[in-house]
Amino acid sequence: IKRLRHHACLALWCGNNELEEGLVDETWTDIAMSWADYGRLFDELLPALVKQHDGVTVYWPSSPHSPTGDRNDWNNPNCGDAHLWDVWHGSKPFEWYRTCGHRFNSEFGFQSFPEPKTVRSFTVGEDRNVTSYVMEQHQRNGTGNSKIMNYMLDWFRMPTGFDETLWTSQILQGMAIKYSCEHWRRSMPRGMGTLYWQLNDCWPVVSWSSIDSLHRWKALHYMAKKFYAPLLVSGLEDRGKGTVEVHLTNDGLTACDLTLKWFVTDARGGLVEKGSRKVRTPKNASRKVYTLRLKKLIAEQTERNCIVWLEVYDRRRLVGENMVTFARPKHLELSARPKISVSVAAGKGNRFVVTLSCKASALWTWIELRSTDFRADDNFVHLRPGAPRTLNVTPAKPLTVKQFKSQLTVKSLVDLSRG
């Protein structure tokens, strides 16, 4: 407590992790401690020490924990915090998240593989198959690789190779956590917090992290920057009704008057419908601001040939964006050749400005540098024709424009399963 109490990032002292999930019983057993001794340690001793040596930060006896009612009801949806693993460990579909009305979702997650550069650091050529001995030794969840592949085939086409499988798993992971976080943020004030498991790794492993052991950001970490943004626009599709509810979630302490714009395109990016309207979001609240009614349009276009693009502006400044589909990505009639154009300009210091544009929709478009690590302000972006995207990229070491261009590669979803 003395060592950590002055850290600015300290939000809460937690007595233990998951003991109340069945590791406490009326009496001591081979697998549980007694509630009486548990109480002496976690309800009396530790909170008293926190109060004595900190006196400011909140103490919580366990996670998950229900502060009222039956303490054995540790994932009580009406109070406390919850660890929700029905997706992943329970193999439930992503849609299950939208049935959850828990108050604070403090642990849930989904695995992915590290990117190819990281995997090459602990493999040789013959190891580069997700079922190889080495790859399975770098997976500490016994059925983890199988779960990734099962979920992957639910949502995406079969990748064509090993590297493509690694990247697809990262997009899949990001989509899973985005699905859950956007739902819980839309539900505020019912749901007032989410903490996905986990941030980072201490060794090169297949895991739930969004940053791998070599500090490389996975697709999830880039996506988290958007679904955790203080101002979030999200769409809730209803396939049966052919509607998209547009929600604005505002964690700020001031209300916002904004402009919502939407573009409905076919899967290749051809514009079918567009519109805009003035919207207002209260402070520290989430609300539905509009409903797009697209049943007739979908009947004409089919679900597989329809993409809804959402944008929110504060005057002329883009402050939020999202993309909604009615079909799973594996069934979208995307162009196999989106013809992505790339321009590179030198920025300040060692920064480069990369502008991406396309002739046909390119989903989850990402950049790589073949032999140099980098940081970018965005990646794994959705491109539609006529709407260029600009990424600010800072390599880990100084590069000339020529060197940067020679290392730069750009790919999108269709590259992962192209025959």
Side-chain angles (χ1 to χ4, degrees):
I1 296 169
K2 289 180 178 179
R3 180 170 64 86
L4 296 176
R5 63 187 175 184
H6 297 303
H7 283 240
C9 63
L10 183 62
L12 176 145
W13 292 101
C14 191
N16 69 77
N17 179 68
E18 296 185 345
L19 286 188
E20 294 183 11
E21 276 193 21
L23 295 176
V24 191
D25 210 336
E26 293 305 314
T27 61
W28 278 87
T29 70
D30 289 342
I31 60 170
M33 69 188 301
S34 70
W35 276 111
D37 285 339
Y38 178 93
R40 292 185 184 101
L41 178 58
F42 296 108
D43 297 336
E44 298 174 17
L45 177 61
L46 289 182
L49 290 172
V50 167
K51 184 176 181 180
Q52 177 185 350
H53 296 291
D54 182 330
V56 175
T57 310
V58 170
Y59 172 84
W60 196 247
S62 184
S63 182
H65 170 69
S66 295
T68 62
D70 183 2
R71 203 161 184 176
N72 290 298
D73 187 11
W74 35 268
N75 264 356
N76 188 332
N78 296 316
C79 62
D81 69 315
H83 292 192
L84 300 174
W85 286 102
D86 290 62
V87 174
W88 186 256
H89 289 303
S91 298
K92 293 283 183 67
F94 294 172
E95 289 85 353
W96 178 84
Y97 284 127
R98 291 180 176 173
T99 70
C100 297
H102 297 75
R103 310 307 302 275
F104 196 104
N105 308 286
S106 57
E107 189 181 303
F108 59 97
F110 197 93
Q111 281 197 353
S112 70
F113 296 100
E115 68 174 74
K117 279 193 288 191
T118 298
V119 172
R120 285 195 287 271
S121 73
F122 64 85
T123 59
V124 294
E126 56 264 33
D127 301 324
R128 290 167 193 159
N129 183 298
V130 297
T131 61
S132 73
Y133 178 81
V134 169
M135 288 299 294
E136 290 187 349
Q137 291 306 301
H138 285 256
Q139 164 62 274
R140 306 315 295 167
N141 180 182
T143 60
N145 290 358
S146 298
K147 287 185 184 298
I148 292 173
M149 298 309 296
N150 285 334
Y151 276 105
M152 186 181 295
L153 295 182
D154 277 347
W155 285 92
F156 295 99
R157 295 186 181 186
M158 176 70 81
T160 54
F162 179 68
D163 285 5
E164 289 79 8
T165 300
L166 306 185
W167 286 119
T168 306
S169 80
Q170 292 201 9
I171 294 171
L172 177 73
Q173 178 194 34
M175 181 180 233
I177 305 305
K178 177 180 185 286
Y179 215 95
S180 57
C181 289
E182 288 188 347
H183 164 68
W184 287 319
R185 291 195 66 191
R186 281 193 296 266
S187 75
M188 68 185 296
R190 175 74 190 179
M192 290 299 288
T194 65
L195 293 170
Y196 67 75
W197 182 269
Q198 66 200 62
L199 177 64
N200 57 1
D201 290 321
C202 62
W203 71 299
V205 63
V206 190
S207 86
W208 300 268
S209 73
S210 59
I211 302 176
D212 75 23
S213 62
L214 298 180
H215 312 296
R216 292 169 178 147
W217 287 18
K218 295 182 179 180
L220 168 58
H221 210 71
Y222 287 103
M223 295 185 200
K225 186 175 181 180
K226 293 181 179 177
F227 62 67
Y228 275 155
L231 182 68
L232 169 71
V233 59
S234 63
L236 180 60
E237 78 287 352
D238 187 318
R239 296 176 63 183
K241 295 179 180 178
T243 60
V244 177
E245 291 182 1
V246 182
H247 292 251
L248 280 177
T249 304
N250 179 16
D251 283 342
L253 299 182
T254 57
C256 299
D257 291 304
L258 305 165
T259 300
L260 167 69
K261 295 184 179 182
W262 62 89
F263 305 85
V264 183
T265 70
D266 60 31
R268 291 173 174 259
L271 184 64
V272 178
E273 177 182 308
K274 68 177 181 178
S276 67
R277 65 181 286 121
K278 300 294 184 182
V279 293
R280 181 175 176 81
T281 174
K283 64 180 181 180
N284 198 29
S286 185
R287 64 179 295 196
K288 180 177 70 176
V289 295
Y290 193 61
T291 300
L292 298 174
R293 304 187 185 281
L294 305 172
K295 192 167 187 175
K296 182 179 178 182
L297 185 151
I298 293 170
E300 296 170 353
Q301 294 288 130
T302 77
E303 291 181 350
R304 297 176 57 202
N305 195 33
C306 184
I307 300 178
V308 179
W309 311 78
L310 303 173
E311 296 178 352
V312 175
Y313 289 84
D314 182 356
R315 296 180 176 85
R316 295 184 178 181
R317 183 169 64 94
L318 180 67
V319 293
E321 60 182 336
N322 218 320
M323 184 271 292
V324 182
T325 66
F326 291 93
R328 296 197 171 190
K330 66 180 180 181
H331 291 150
L332 289 174
E333 298 176 348
L334 298 169
S335 170
R337 298 288 187 273
K339 297 182 180 179
I340 300 172
S341 299
V342 185
S343 69
V344 177
K348 294 182 179 179
N350 191 39
R351 182 169 59 86
F352 295 86
V353 180
V354 179
T355 302
L356 306 173
S357 57
C358 63
K359 295 294 184 181
S361 299
L363 306 186
W364 289 287
T365 301
W366 78 97
I367 67 166
E368 297 175 70
L369 295 179
R370 291 191 186 90
S371 58
T372 305
D373 285 335
F374 64 91
R375 285 283 183 269
D377 64 348
D378 204 356
N379 212 355
F380 295 89
V381 298
H382 300 309
L383 301 179
R384 66 179 175 87
R389 296 297 303 272
T390 297
L391 314 180
N392 293 291
V393 184
T394 305
K397 63 181 183 181
L399 296 175
T400 64
V401 172
K402 183 178 180 180
Q403 290 170 330
F404 184 91
K405 288 182 176 179
S406 70
Q407 290 195 37
L408 181 65
T409 62
V410 179
K411 297 179 183 177
S412 72
L413 180 63
V414 294
D415 295 304
L416 300 175
S417 58
R418 182 180 291 159

